[in-house]
Amino acid sequence: MEIRITLPLTQEKLRALKAGDSCLLNGVMYTGRDAAHKRLFELIKEGKELPVDIKDSTFYFVGPTPKKQGEAIGSAGPTTSYRMDAYSPALIALGQTGMIGKGTRSESVIEAMKTYGAVYFGAIGGCGALLSKCIKKCEVVAYEDLGTEAIHRLEVEDFPVVVVIDSQGNNLYKTGRETYLKSVMEDK
Amino acid sequence: MREISAEKITEVIKRLCIEANCILPQDMKSCIEKSLEAEPFPTAQGILRKIIENYNIAENEHKPVCQDTGAACVFLEIGQDVHINGNLQDAINEGVRQGYRDGFLRKSIVKDPLNRVNTNDNTPAMIYYDIVEGEKIRITLAPKGFGSENMSRIKMLKPSDGVDGVIDFVVEAVEKAGSNPCPPIVVGVGIGGTFDKCALLAKKALLREADSENPDPYYAELEKTLLDKINALGIGPQGFGGKTTALAVNIETFPTHIAGLPVAVNINCHVTRHVTEVI
Ligand code: SF4
């Protein structure tokens, strides 16, 4: 069963999510990957204002392909998240509640998620054509000079993700593997 | 001496860039379909079905299978009886430039590794030339995503480490990569040569069809052993658990020095793209 969630992801909504839950996200999220995160982080360090409202925001780690005429966006699957690990704790401390990517996160990111309340979702890596169908609108809101790495505002409908790490720190990358290996042992 | 124009090469490279990124090759499709049949874990089956749906959408709508349309790796086998009219390297880069622009592919190359500014046309390509007999040019285009490239490793083993050392290193590389390279993955293994040659062997191993085996029965057996060990790790598609961690292991080898046993592991994802044309 999929859990339908309307963004923004408030503390109340995210506390109910558990690692392994399949969700369909609806509403507004922002894109950001290496270069945009670096710029946001520098602004935070300097105590300056950020170009987007971070409170209760969800960031999708993605660098889409250019769109063709008639499309809202090109292919748009997740990029590997650990490259954002150096920057994510600072954004979570400012109120970011959702991150979408693929792959492992560092202990310091998970600690920040537990302390401030945030969820890490996985989208299926390498399924950019499929995922783009759930993105209805896409516009650049900051750092246009970064091209694909600019911050885009996305409007999504039933965007499929899985809770990989929940706000208690439960991690599907550990439990999923254990569950599978246990099921194989039982079959033997 | 056969003459081939630089324009012809540009035209072919452009077309191959677009085709490689929008149409997953048949060898990958059949590996993914077979793995779905053999996958006992429901979560993993669901992901494999989505992966199939994705490459079908990409092909039907002529959209990139993955948004990381890669570094353009270009392999040329040039017949020694061919004469190219014009600048070959420029012709290749022009083909990449046009293909990535007109094919709506992502430009992912920065001009300098430390002062990172995007070149905005996905050039320069990563080009490898081999001179062979004959009067043809065989061009293989293999866009390489970096989620998986970043998980690749190389190690200079000792001869005494032997085949067990190789197995341990390859399996360890895959386990450490975990969920990061978008499993299910394809594992290219290079054994032998020198430090640099070995890495190239691993990359070339990824050009071979994923459903093929090494022509040497010893290495074909080693490919099977490695695949079984990797698929016993339980990482599964996307790292959510399951049998299908890897779709294939391809090994390429080369003679090496009496003192060495270099091993390189080049990891690729379920979007392992390669397309070849002979002109
Ligand atoms: S690792 Fe492969 S499937 Fe994953 S994002 Fe990169 S190119 Fe795409």
Side-chain angles (χ1 to χ4, degrees), chain B:
Chain B
M1 183 69 72
R2 181 169 163 234
E3 308 255 330
I4 295 178
S5 70
E7 289 79 25
K8 172 76 186 166
I9 292 180
T10 296
E11 179 209 308
V12 171
I13 298 271
K14 173 185 176 180
R15 187 158 32 78
L16 295 185
C17 285
I18 299 173
E19 188 186 324
N21 274 298
C22 298
I23 304 172
L24 195 69
Q26 191 50 49
D27 61 307
M28 288 302 295
K29 289 180 186 166
S30 45
C31 279
I32 294 167
E33 279 159 24
K34 264 195 217 125
S35 74
L36 174 58
E37 282 165 29
E39 176 62 63
F41 198 53
T43 317
Q45 290 169 354
I47 291 165
L48 292 169
R49 281 197 200 97
K50 292 275 184 217
I51 286 172
I52 293 171
E53 194 184 337
N54 179 68
Y55 66 64
N56 285 329
I57 290 174
E59 187 164 334
N60 294 336
E61 300 186 10
H62 217 68
K63 229 176 157 162
V65 179
C66 180
Q67 79 290 335
D68 186 353
T69 50
C73 299
V74 185
F75 298 82
L76 293 103
E77 288 174 22
I78 303 174
Q80 59 194 19
D81 299 325
V82 173
H83 179 259
I84 294 153
N85 285 319
N87 183 320
L88 176 58
Q89 190 173 315
D90 288 353
I92 294 166
N93 281 322
E94 185 56 28
V96 169
R97 188 172 293 123
Q98 291 180 15
Y100 275 70
R101 181 192 63 206
D102 298 351
F104 296 89
L105 307 176
R106 198 180 77 184
K107 290 80 183 169
S108 311
I109 301 297
V110 290
K111 196 169 168 204
D112 180 279
L114 289 177
N115 303 303
R116 308 181 69 87
V117 178
N118 201 303
T119 61
N120 285 325
D121 60 8
N122 220 50
T123 70
M126 312 289 158
I127 309 173
Y128 302 91
Y129 303 103
D130 280 316
I131 305 296
V132 299
E133 274 184 13
E135 49 170 33
K136 293 202 162 92
I137 303 180
R138 185 184 156 91
I139 303 177
T140 299
L141 205 297
K144 183 67 175 76
F146 253 59
S148 49
E149 192 75 356
N150 281 337
M151 296 297 116
S152 303
R153 295 175 72 195
I154 190 160
K155 193 169 182 182
M156 306 305 280
L157 296 181
K158 302 184 294 296
S160 62
D161 292 327
V163 68
D164 290 338
V166 172
I167 291 171
D168 288 348
F169 178 61
V170 175
V171 175
E172 183 193 298
V174 172
E175 183 158 28
K176 285 206 166 136
S179 54
N180 293 325
C182 295
I185 58 175
V186 176
V187 187
V189 181
I191 310 174
T194 48
F195 181 78
D196 52 316
K197 176 100 185 169
C198 184
L200 184 56
L201 289 172
K203 175 132 281 124
K204 284 192 171 175
L206 295 171
L207 304 180
R208 215 178 78 212
E209 316 250 287
D211 55 0
S212 67
E213 54 180 33
N214 192 296
D216 179 335
Y218 177 82
Y219 286 103
E221 198 50 44
L222 186 55
E223 288 176 346
K224 276 205 205 83
T225 305
L226 280 167
L227 186 61
D228 288 347
K229 283 193 187 288
I230 287 167
N231 284 341
L233 290 172
I235 296 168
Q238 298 299 303
F240 298 161
K243 178 171 191 273
T244 318
T245 301
L247 299 162
V249 177
N250 282 359
I251 299 174
E252 293 294 319
T253 64
F254 199 78
T256 189
H257 189 277
I258 47 172
L261 175 52
V263 185
V265 182
N266 195 190
I267 294 185
N268 212 346
C269 47
H270 62 88
V271 189
T272 292
R273 295 155 282 202
H274 49 87
V275 49
T276 300
E277 189 163 316
V278 180
I279 51 178

